[in-house]
């Protein structure tokens, strides 16, 4: 992986699933990827464990409104029911998704994260997975839902990496790594 790869995670300040944010962020940072975290407010991000217990607190690097999505190689959308439900009502979050997908850059979403893809209208024609409760919403949004630990799909000109829940994180990270690797190789060929 190239040293100058950059990833952006977008979350609410409340309710994101701890491991779905922190595990990928730490994994990428250990590999030398610059990872920024954008939330609506500058206040600390209060994570939850299994949607219930308070988890670790993380400081965002940017607000959703001020971050410029064009400079990043990958978008990370963690889950957590409260987080994902509130995030999809944020126009800045929807706009961030569209900035990645229209530019053909990869998006990685886990658990309840794919709700935002339905909201942005980009789930159409994609094969994906998610937390099972989103299955109908995503099918209604035109996606093909699969019950698998990792689904990678290149339809419509951009790579989508999805997983179902925190237990799939090992698979999810493999997909994230592959997406970043392919993106940096493609950039190197230009």
């Amino acid at each position: 992986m190239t040293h100058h790869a950059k990833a952006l995670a977008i979350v609410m300040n409340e309710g994101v699933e701890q491991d779905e944010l922190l595990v990928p962020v730490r994994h990428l940072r250990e590999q030398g990827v610059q990872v920024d975290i954008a939330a609506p407010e500058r206040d600390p991000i209060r994570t939850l464990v299994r949607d219930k217990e308070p988890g670790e607190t993380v400081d965002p690097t940017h607000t959703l409104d001020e971050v410029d999505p064009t400079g990043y190689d990958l978008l990370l959308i963690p889950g957590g029911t409260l987080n994902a439900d509130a995030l999809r009502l944020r126009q800045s979050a929807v706009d961030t998704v569209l900035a990645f997908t229209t530019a053909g850059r990869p998006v990685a979403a886990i658990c309840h994260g794919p709700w935002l893809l339905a909201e942005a209208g980009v789930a159409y024609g994609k094969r994906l997975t998610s937390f099972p409760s989103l299955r109908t919403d995503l099918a209604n949004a035109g996606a093909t839902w699969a019950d698998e630990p990792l689904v990678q799909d290149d339809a419509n000109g951009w790579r989508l990496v999805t997983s179902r829940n925190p237990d799939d994180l090992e698979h999810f990270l493999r997909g994230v790594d592959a997406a970043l690797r392919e993106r940096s190789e493609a950039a190197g060929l230009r």
Side-chain angles (χ1 to χ4, degrees):
M1 208 166 291
T2 51
H3 60 278
H4 51 69
K6 287 177 70 176
L8 175 65
I10 57 173
V11 296
M12 295 298 291
N13 291 86
E14 301 277 341
V16 66
E17 185 65 41
Q18 172 186 278
D19 287 356
E20 293 170 3
L21 173 62
L22 295 184
V23 171
V25 166
R26 287 173 180 154
H27 169 82
L28 290 169
R29 284 178 175 163
E30 279 165 12
Q31 297 185 67
V33 176
Q34 179 188 325
V35 185
D36 291 334
I37 304 171
E41 310 299 330
R42 279 255 170 223
D43 308 326
I45 297 158
R46 296 212 290 267
T47 71
L48 289 175
V49 177
R50 299 285 172 179
D51 270 339
K52 288 188 285 287
E53 303 297 320
E56 290 182 47
T57 300
V58 196
D59 288 322
T61 56
H62 296 75
T63 65
L64 280 172
D65 289 330
E66 74 186 10
V67 74
D68 175 6
T70 55
Y72 296 91
D73 300 296
L74 177 117
L75 178 63
L76 174 68
I77 310 170
T81 313
L82 297 169
N83 169 67
D85 192 36
L87 196 62
R88 62 185 176 151
L89 299 176
R90 290 270 167 174
Q91 189 59 44
S92 50
V94 170
D95 291 344
T96 299
V97 170
L98 292 172
F100 275 83
T101 59
T102 55
R105 285 176 286 148
V107 175
I110 186 167
C111 201
H112 290 82
W115 245 345
L116 183 56
L117 305 173
E119 193 69 38
V122 299
Y124 190 85
K126 298 297 265 189
R127 186 170 180 273
L128 48 68
T129 193
S130 69
F131 195 77
S133 65
L134 272 62
R135 180 179 189 157
T136 302
D137 284 349
L138 291 165
N140 288 342
T144 302
W145 195 88
D147 187 10
E148 295 166 19
L150 173 66
V151 179
Q152 303 172 86
D153 185 277
D154 287 325
N156 306 334
W158 55 283
R159 164 74 54 93
L160 176 61
V161 176
T162 50
S163 291
R164 301 169 299 190
N165 58 53
D167 298 331
D168 293 340
L169 273 165
E170 197 176 314
H171 300 272
F172 186 64
L173 296 179
R174 268 212 315 276
V176 166
D177 287 348
L180 269 178
R181 195 163 51 243
E182 285 184 27
R183 174 151 173 84
S184 59
E185 282 167 8
L189 293 174
R190 277 199 196 101

